[in-house]
Amino acid sequence: MTTTNGSNEAIPTLQLLDPQGNRVTTRGTKGYRDRAATLTTEDLRGMYRDMVLTRRFDDEATSLQRQGELALFAPARGQEAAQVGSAYALRPQDYVFPSYREHGVLHVRGLDPVDRLRFFRGSDHGGWNPTEHNTAVYTIVIGAHTLHAAGYAMGVQRDDTPLDKRDGTAVITYFGDGATSQGDVNEAMVYAAVNNAPVVFFLQNNQWAISEPTTRQTKGPLYKRGEAFGMPSLRVDGNDVLAVYAATQEALERARLGEGPSFIEAFTYRMGAHTTSDDPTRYRTSEQEEQWRRRDPIDRLGALLRAEGGLDDDFEAEIKAAGDELGAKLRTGVRALDGGPAVSSTFDDVYATPHGVVAAERAWYEAYDAGDPPAPQYAIADSAQGGAR
Amino acid sequence: MTTMAERTHTTGGAAEPASGTQTLSLGKAINEGLRAAMRRDDKVMLMGEDIGPLGGVFRVTDGLQAEFGEQRVVDTPLAESGIVGTAIGLAMRGYRPVCEIQFDGFVFPAFNQITTQLSKIHNRTRGAVQMPVVIRIPYGGGIGGVEHHGESPEALFAHTAGLRVVSPSTPQDAYTMIQEAIASPDPVLFFEPKSRYWGKGAVDLDTPLGTDTLNAAQVVRQGTDVTLVAYGPSVVTALKTADALAEEGRSAEVIDLRAISPIDTAAVVASVRKTGRCVVIHEAPVFFGAGAEIAARVTEECFYALEAPVLRVGGFHTPYPVAKHEHEYLPSVDRVLDAVDRAFAH
């Protein structure tokens, strides 16, 4: 099938579920339909639950920001299918390099929801131990982490690979339409391609880089960027969780088989603001927002599940209860973060080995903080020399 | 077809490890240091432009790809941000990448990766992820290079917390310090004084790891009347100046800093308390340069020991000049003598 990007050009886009929640059987998509068909009703119910909880996380975090409990928050609203669908295709050993909006991915990876808000609370530059979840912390400089993903994948290649590479490690990196203009993203694709590195470039084209539409980033369809670097590239309906899952699973499998990197453009929409500091009414129309509300990824999967008997009022109630529990946990947990490390922890982990400048500044600060600032060095020197000079 | 794993560990044709004391050029000493580090730890790998069959434009990696293979000595695409950015990912996977930036002026495409990522990931992850990455940068002028081939950008990195910034001045230190830099769990900017690549000196190839050369300055000449503080290519200039001063009956103490992050303030202060005068020499512009930091620290810590203000000799606040003029820009013996004269005039 095809959709358009607002221009008259038809762009091939993989879709397995239409906006009304009907399964689509287009010619040429059988391989993807087969992959999606491996998802049981229980899997789909899990995806639905995780998408609803991801949106609840968004709503709760936005409320916390409005109450002054978070300095900032970047909602993922509208991108739940792109995030949850792709994360479902990952295995625990796979390594994820996210940007700062991947709340659905982090949720599926099992990261503690309070940890995911430490950054936005202003109490941590990261929030979790990447090695525990094979998930890097946020990278705020747009696109810089895609190179880390390519390098990590080059490391995987150099490891003693298990005999059955299907059980090996693949790498995925998430970035947005704005990031595709960054040099680092393009360099990451060069490095991944020439090294045949096992990494998936997962672009969420949510149409907006803060206030700039995709037309400020590109003249042609973004999925063609991957093609130009010599890797298989595909555009999927990013609000179709089945298509996203199937495409990501295919790309990860390719990586595990030693067939190199892939590029996926998940065509979706940032239904909310860029962050809680943003005001989308200044740069986009409510008509556009309404148009995309009709393509809501959660409604779409919900319609499929209801039609196939996987969703009833009891399950909705169960998810609602889980959401309430999540909300309560966030409200309590975020406020409790203030009992964290002392200000002097600023001097921790600047270096892994002692560094004289940091050590001296820490010693000074701690004495100052204790109300006992040390005498200036020159006074000590003067005293030692009896003021001779 | 060999598997990736087989190729990774291929060290076919390796000669016996070099040992004993040999006379080596500074460039060859780094080469031997890299070789020793790679033999010691198969997670050490080299990345850079033209470092494979060519051996680097200065031949510092000569013969290493032949010994360790293409998986450990990687000719990268011509993209410096990519070199450092992928090195970060490799470090996250447990590797110890040593990146070569071909010339000083080409580090700037990687500036973002170095200052916003490499320097901060250990802190950002509260110590969970270390960044044992070395970035080798041939720097400094004096070889008649074109634009961007003679610059000294070290202060820009010393200003960034999380990075160590060092520069050897002798073949022995080059051999030792490159191995210490590779062994360090912190990222190290390793500035190689390119005009001194061909200078020779004795190198003890059996020097054990565990030296403090990434932190501690070294008094390379004892003296009583003035302290000359230098690092990298300027140490030779300082020593020549000390010779000239000796002919005038003045005794100069010469300190080779080795590192400008951290900076061994104690070593400098101890010397200046003795001599009462301090001149700092580096090729980088003096404006906001390492010399400014040293002057401030010396002034703060031994104000009453000073006979004269701390003076600096270095580059001007201009773009690095054309090759025909670079010898007037670089700190020469004559310009250092002039500064010493001014220090004695107080």
Side-chain angles (χ1 to χ4, degrees):
Chain A
M1 70 141 282
T2 59
T3 60
T4 64
N5 70 344
S7 71
N8 293 324
E9 185 191 3
I11 300 168
T13 304
L14 177 69
Q15 190 185 68
L16 302 180
L17 200 58
D18 73 15
Q20 288 70 47
N22 305 305
R23 290 185 189 261
V24 179
T25 53
T26 319
R27 272 179 62 187
T29 62
K30 182 168 185 309
Y32 296 107
R33 279 183 275 133
D34 287 348
R35 289 179 189 278
T38 64
L39 293 167
T40 64
T41 301
E42 211 42 50
D43 291 333
L44 295 177
R45 281 160 58 93
M47 285 175 152
Y48 180 77
R49 184 177 189 275
D50 287 332
M51 288 165 67
V52 173
L53 290 178
T54 296
R55 185 161 298 181
R56 181 65 182 263
F57 176 84
D58 253 23
D59 292 343
E60 294 289 344
T62 301
S63 296
L64 284 166
Q65 194 279 334
R66 296 297 183 229
Q67 294 161 25
E69 299 292 347
L70 300 180
L72 185 77
F73 184 68
R77 192 181 190 85
Q79 299 174 220
E80 293 88 351
Q83 298 190 3
V84 171
S86 58
Y88 260 70
L90 294 165
R91 294 176 182 173
Q93 74 269 24
D94 293 336
Y95 209 101
V96 178
F97 288 86
S99 85
Y100 47 80
R101 202 188 298 281
E102 267 65 83
H103 312 307
V105 178
L106 302 182
H107 168 80
V108 175
R109 293 298 277 179
L111 276 97
D112 183 273
V114 175
D115 285 349
R116 291 191 264 133
L117 291 180
R118 287 174 184 271
F119 178 88
F120 294 108
R121 173 79 168 178
S123 60
D124 209 299
H125 286 317
W128 58 89
N129 181 343
T131 59
E132 284 176 9
H133 302 278
N134 286 334
T135 303
V137 296
Y138 303 125
T139 300
I140 306 305
V141 177
I142 299 296
H145 60 294
T146 57
L147 275 169
H148 309 164
Y152 192 93
M154 288 165 63
V156 169
Q157 287 180 298
R158 284 164 173 76
D159 289 347
D160 294 320
T161 313
L163 288 176
D164 180 3
K165 287 184 179 176
R166 284 168 188 271
D167 290 336
T169 298
V171 181
I172 190 167
T173 180
Y174 292 87
F175 54 101
D177 40 288
T180 61
S181 298
Q182 288 279 4
D184 276 2
V185 174
N186 291 275
E187 290 190 26
M189 288 195 275
V190 170
Y191 275 72
V194 302
N195 288 290
N196 213 39
V199 55
V200 177
F201 291 91
F202 193 94
L203 160 65
Q204 290 172 86
N205 178 356
N206 70 12
Q207 317 297 323
W208 292 96
I210 304 190
S211 69
E212 296 193 5
T214 318
T215 50
R216 299 308 305 156
Q217 314 295 340
T218 187
K219 189 168 180 186
L222 285 169
Y223 80 94
K224 289 196 171 180
R225 297 279 175 92
E227 264 176 30
F229 288 97
M231 62 182 88
S233 302
L234 179 68
R235 185 161 103 150
V236 303
D237 182 336
N239 288 11
D240 168 359
V241 74
L242 299 186
V244 170
Y245 172 82
T248 312
Q249 196 205 45
E250 177 194 51
L252 290 166
E253 186 176 286
R254 200 180 280 137
R256 291 195 182 93
L257 290 170
E259 294 170 11
S262 306
F263 186 99
I264 297 170
E265 175 188 2
F267 196 78
T268 180
Y269 191 74
R270 193 194 76 208
M271 291 172 77
H274 162 65
T275 67
T276 45
S277 301
D278 181 31
D279 176 11
T281 64
R282 292 178 72 95
Y283 53 82
R284 71 187 190 190
T285 63
S286 54
E287 287 76 16
Q288 187 190 50
E289 292 178 356
E290 180 53 33
Q291 183 192 339
W292 279 92
R293 255 195 293 279
R294 289 195 293 271
R295 302 170 60 86
D296 189 296
I298 296 179
D299 293 349
R300 192 184 306 202
L301 179 57
L304 173 77
L305 274 171
R306 281 195 184 277
E308 296 185 353
L311 181 59
D312 55 21
D313 292 348
D314 284 352
F315 189 47
E316 291 276 27
E318 186 188 318
I319 296 172
K320 170 77 166 54
D324 291 344
E325 196 183 325
L326 171 68
K329 179 176 180 170
L330 288 174
R331 286 189 293 277
T332 311
V334 160
R335 291 183 176 96
L337 292 176
D338 288 353
V343 177
S344 64
S345 71
T346 298
F347 298 100
D348 291 345
D349 303 317
V350 181
Y351 293 87
T353 48
H355 186 282
V357 175
V358 177
E361 291 182 353
R362 175 183 207 128
W364 181 87
Y365 173 78
E366 287 178 347
Y368 166 82
D369 191 42
D372 182 27
Q377 287 289 309
Y378 62 78
I380 297 167
D382 184 34
S383 166
Q385 296 177 14
R389 291 181 187 267
Chain B
M1 186 188 139
T2 54
T3 67
M4 197 68 73
E6 284 165 352
R7 274 185 280 145
T8 302
H9 297 290
T10 294
T11 54
E16 284 300 302
S19 67
T21 297
Q22 294 182 12
T23 300
L24 300 177
S25 68
L26 189 144
K28 179 62 177 168
I30 296 171
N31 176 273
E32 288 295 342
L34 292 170
R35 190 188 316 276
M38 295 185 80
R39 286 178 175 174
R40 189 180 297 122
D41 180 355
D42 67 10
K43 293 293 188 186
V44 176
M45 53 183 290
L46 311 185
M47 308 169 67
E49 297 155 6
D50 308 299
I51 67 168
L54 184 66
V57 294
F58 290 106
R59 308 293 183 264
V60 172
T61 57
D62 185 39
L64 296 178
Q65 192 181 67
E67 179 170 345
F68 298 103
E70 293 179 8
Q71 294 299 309
R72 294 188 63 196
V73 180
V74 183
D75 263 339
T76 66
L78 210 169
E80 289 80 6
S81 188
I83 294 173
V84 177
T86 55
I88 289 169
L90 281 154
M92 292 176 79
R93 187 68 184 177
Y95 290 84
R96 305 185 89 85
V98 182
C99 306
E100 176 173 306
I101 300 295
Q102 199 159 71
F103 281 92
D104 32 64
F106 304 151
V107 72
F108 295 106
F111 194 73
N112 170 53
Q113 285 291 340
I114 295 171
T115 56
T116 74
Q117 305 302 314
L118 182 64
S119 68
K120 292 181 172 63
I121 285 173
H122 181 255
N123 184 258
R124 190 182 291 155
T125 61
R126 292 195 183 269
V129 178
Q130 296 184 339
M131 280 290 118
V133 176
V134 177
I135 301 180
R136 298 179 36 240
I137 307 175
Y139 83 120
I143 64 162
V146 295
E147 193 181 19
H148 305 306
H149 291 64
E151 299 165 5
S152 299
E154 64 273 17
L156 296 168
F157 299 98
H159 203 60
T160 300
L163 303 175
R164 292 177 173 276
V165 182
V166 305
S167 181
S169 70
T170 66
Q172 175 66 64
D173 267 0
Y175 177 74
T176 307
M177 288 167 67
I178 189 65
Q179 294 180 73
E180 298 289 3
I182 292 167
S184 172
D186 289 316
V188 179
L189 277 283
F190 193 85
F191 281 92
E192 301 176 0
K194 72 167 88 80
S195 63
R196 312 295 183 197
Y197 267 145
W198 300 273
K200 291 192 173 178
V203 178
D204 178 1
L205 294 165
D206 302 319
T207 308
L209 277 184
T211 65
D212 203 24
T213 47
L214 299 188
N215 295 292
Q218 188 177 26
V219 177
V220 292
R221 180 181 172 123
Q222 304 269 351
T224 55
D225 299 334
V226 59
T227 300
L228 304 180
V229 180
Y231 55 89
S234 298
V235 174
V236 170
T237 309
L239 288 168
K240 287 180 179 168
T241 308
D243 286 343
L245 286 168
E247 290 173 18
E248 298 174 5
R250 283 173 174 164
S251 166
E253 181 146 300
V254 178
I255 293 181
D256 177 357
L257 282 180
R258 287 181 173 142
I260 63 166
S261 180
I263 209 158
D264 189 352
T265 309
V268 178
V269 165
S271 176
V272 177
R273 285 206 176 121
K274 184 172 68 175
T275 63
R277 297 175 186 86
C278 182
V279 176
V280 189
I281 308 151
H282 51 60
E283 293 190 11
V286 297
F287 190 62
F288 279 88
E293 182 62 32
I294 293 163
R297 285 173 180 270
V298 167
T299 306
E300 185 173 352
E301 299 205 14
C302 50
F303 185 69
Y304 289 104
L306 284 169
E307 300 284 358
V310 180
L311 297 175
R312 294 166 289 162
V313 182
F316 306 119
H317 194 53
T318 66
Y320 191 83
V322 294
K324 297 288 185 199
H325 299 161
E326 69 177 334
H327 291 287
E328 289 301 313
Y329 173 97
L330 294 169
S332 59
V333 170
D334 205 47
R335 282 176 57 200
V336 181
L337 286 172
D338 170 73
V340 171
D341 284 346
R342 281 187 282 135
F344 274 95
H346 274 274

